[in-house]
Amino acid sequence: MLQLVDVAQRSLDSFIPVVGEAVVDELRRLAEPLRGARVAQINATPYGGGVSELLRSIVPLERDLGLATDWSIITGGEPFFAVTKALHNALQGAKFALTPDVRETYLNQSMRNAQLLDMPYDFIIVHDPQPAALPELHGRGSARWIWRCHIDTANPDPDAWDFLRPFLAAYDAAVFTMQEFAPRDLPMPRTVCIPPAIDPLSPKNAYLPPDMCQLALSWIGLDVNKPIITQVSRFDSWKDPLGVIEAYKLVRRHVPDLQLALFGAMALDDPEGWQIYRQVMDQKGDDPLIHVHTNLTGVGNFEINALQRTSRVVVQKSIREGFGLVVSEALWKSTPVVASNVGGIPLQAPPGIGGFLVTTVDEAVEKILYLLTNPSEAASLAALGKEHIKENFLITRLLADELRLLKSVAG
Ligand code: UDP
């Protein structure tokens, strides 16, 4: 068996105060024909990164709606995840060296995972490229298979795409965050566009009073009486943490007591993380106003929630970004963002809502400074941002989209 991830029991009724009764009733209505359906959600890691964040919320809520949903993770060692990370990078446009060794590592481990997959399922939703070969290598059985791609695959490296594409032919449908991410020669019959969403009741996003924020942040060395800007992201070059430090140092010339917090999770399937972390630490040097933390030093949802709430600006300086849940997380907490105009970010913070979209370090510096020095405008932009997230990017909307998708692939 693949390893199951344990999740708690939750009730959708607890969402009524946030989204209203009609939304929850509609979800129950949509789920009715799917009651008892056996659904597998399969990805590569139980923690670190947006996919695990989503599944941690989606799985118990689908169960509350009467579906029999499991969450399983594939197995793999360092060599396999080094290959899948290279593949992930290549699907976002980096060069890919498709050596016989790379092929063999991916195929052998995928075969092992296929052998571990038990098939008592009606629907199998496979997230991202790491487990993508499962239906081809296992056989489709009687399940409907959906490939849920969370990354920006608009311009993949041709060799990487040629390698992955044949595996995708075994699926009934593909889901992308944006239509633009879907390569034109997708081999499956159906393509759907569903952006991710955040869980307003998770410990990361639920309301935290200011005294608890203060407690959480002073615990990790931040002074809540001085301004803070933040980026929360896996240590990944696509997230450009070094660009964030560069921008921060330029802004600090004008705001000398400004602190920078960089929180970066280390995910199981991301062996590049430590390399980027070391580069970040080199760049930080002995600067006492730059605070770098990872989930492995005990920093988790409580501190991230406090940080996203307390920061004057949340930065997301990605070079490529599938979606960037952290943007919605910040806006939900009424914190304005300065974020790159790439991938799924402008869906969450379109012009005039939530903050500013930027493309260069210089633009980021200018907009961060603007928000720091114009607090009432910053607050109005953030309020519009919160409203936009409430309307479009809460987990209840994602659940509804997923239920509709299951119903449509069931035919
Ligand atoms: N995250 C976290 N701890 C960290 C860094 C990130 O819990 O140190 C979470 C973050 O709050 C968000 C998710 O991981 O919920 C990252 O999702 P996003 O879509 O922004 O990026 P991805 O990692 O999927 O590329």
Side-chain angles (χ1 to χ4, degrees):
M1 244 176 91
L2 291 177
Q3 191 185 323
L4 284 170
V5 183
D6 198 15
V7 292
Q9 239 183 349
R10 296 184 67 197
S11 166
L12 259 172
D13 289 346
S14 54
F15 284 77
I16 292 173
V18 186
V19 296
E21 209 161 347
V23 168
V24 172
D25 286 349
E26 168 69 359
L27 280 169
R28 296 209 188 281
R29 193 190 59 74
L30 282 170
E32 200 44 48
L34 292 161
R35 280 192 84 79
R38 297 158 305 172
V39 182
Q41 304 269 5
I42 302 179
N43 81 319
T45 176
Y47 61 85
V51 180
S52 48
E53 190 78 18
L54 288 171
L55 293 179
R56 184 66 185 71
S57 293
I58 284 281
V59 172
L61 295 175
E62 285 186 351
R63 287 184 186 169
D64 185 56
L65 286 168
L67 283 71
T69 302
D70 283 340
W71 173 10
S72 297
I73 53 167
I74 54 166
T75 61
E78 223 269 352
F80 174 70
F81 287 127
V83 165
T84 57
K85 186 66 203 290
L87 186 56
H88 168 114
N89 290 343
L91 291 171
Q92 298 211 121
K95 281 264 151 295
F96 190 54
L98 185 59
T99 61
D101 230 30
V102 163
R103 272 176 195 281
E104 205 180 298
T105 304
Y106 185 77
L107 283 173
N108 286 348
Q109 191 60 38
S110 296
M111 187 56 89
R112 247 168 258 146
N113 285 317
Q115 284 159 356
L116 289 174
L117 174 65
D118 268 343
M119 281 282 288
Y121 295 110
D122 302 304
F123 299 96
I124 303 187
I125 305 177
V126 174
H127 296 262
D128 282 339
Q130 303 93 323
L134 282 178
E136 171 69 22
L137 299 179
H138 180 282
R140 289 169 39 87
S142 58
R144 298 279 193 252
W145 290 80
I146 295 164
W147 186 54
R148 200 327 171 188
C149 179
H150 294 270
I151 55 184
D152 175 352
T153 41
N155 293 300
D157 171 86
D159 289 345
W161 182 240
D162 285 350
F163 176 62
L164 188 69
R165 190 177 172 277
F167 296 118
L168 301 181
Y171 288 85
D172 297 286
V175 182
F176 293 89
T177 294
M178 303 169 75
Q179 200 55 49
E180 295 87 315
F181 291 174
R184 247 168 286 127
D185 55 348
L186 267 178
M188 51 279 264
R190 190 189 303 251
T191 308
V192 183
C193 192
I194 304 181
I198 60 162
D199 182 344
L201 301 182
S202 73
K204 179 171 288 161
N205 296 318
Y207 176 69
L208 262 190
D211 59 333
M212 292 305 278
C213 292
Q214 175 154 7
L215 185 141
L217 296 187
S218 51
W219 173 254
I220 51 172
L222 283 148
D223 181 346
V224 292
N225 299 311
K226 294 183 180 151
I228 304 169
I229 64 170
T230 291
Q231 177 163 294
V232 176
S233 279
R234 283 177 301 104
F235 287 111
D236 180 327
S237 46
W238 298 111
K239 310 285 187 183
D240 198 15
L242 301 180
V244 178
I245 296 180
E246 193 187 335
Y248 161 75
K249 285 184 172 166
L250 292 169
V251 176
R252 202 169 76 185
R253 290 186 184 164
H254 307 273
V255 188
D257 59 353
L258 184 66
Q259 303 162 93
L260 170 66
L262 282 176
F263 278 16
M266 297 294 177
L268 201 61
D269 62 340
D270 188 356
E272 285 173 354
W274 285 110
Q275 200 183 320
I276 306 294
Y277 176 76
R278 275 190 293 276
Q279 291 172 9
V280 166
M281 292 309 276
D282 280 351
Q283 190 101 335
K284 163 186 152 51
D286 55 8
D287 192 327
L289 293 180
I290 302 180
H291 299 258
V292 182
H293 286 282
T294 82
N295 50 330
L296 301 182
T297 56
V299 166
N301 287 331
F302 177 37
E303 291 87 350
I304 291 174
N305 189 338
L307 193 59
Q308 288 171 330
R309 258 171 221 290
T310 312
S311 295
R312 296 277 297 278
V313 178
V314 161
V315 181
Q316 189 56 41
K317 227 209 127 293
S318 306
I319 292 161
R320 290 265 198 290
E321 189 60 76
F323 185 67
L325 282 175
V326 285
V327 172
S328 285
E329 289 167 3
L331 293 177
W332 178 247
K333 298 173 184 103
S334 302
T335 300
V337 297
V338 170
S340 297
N341 192 7
V342 294
I345 290 176
L347 296 176
Q348 303 168 73
I353 294 181
F356 295 103
L357 294 170
V358 296
T359 44
T360 62
V361 167
D362 286 346
E363 276 173 12
V365 170
E366 181 199 327
K367 299 304 183 193
I368 294 168
L369 249 180
Y370 182 85
L371 290 172
L372 288 172
T373 48
N374 292 277
S376 70
E377 192 161 339
S380 321
L381 280 166
L384 290 173
K386 178 167 187 175
E387 207 43 46
H388 182 64
I389 300 309
K390 185 170 180 194
E391 288 304 309
N392 299 288
F393 298 111
L394 295 188
I395 198 90
T396 38
R397 190 272 304 147
L398 176 59
L399 268 173
D401 284 346
E402 190 153 309
L403 294 172
R404 285 191 199 99
L405 171 67
L406 294 182
K407 222 170 127 196
S408 78
V409 295

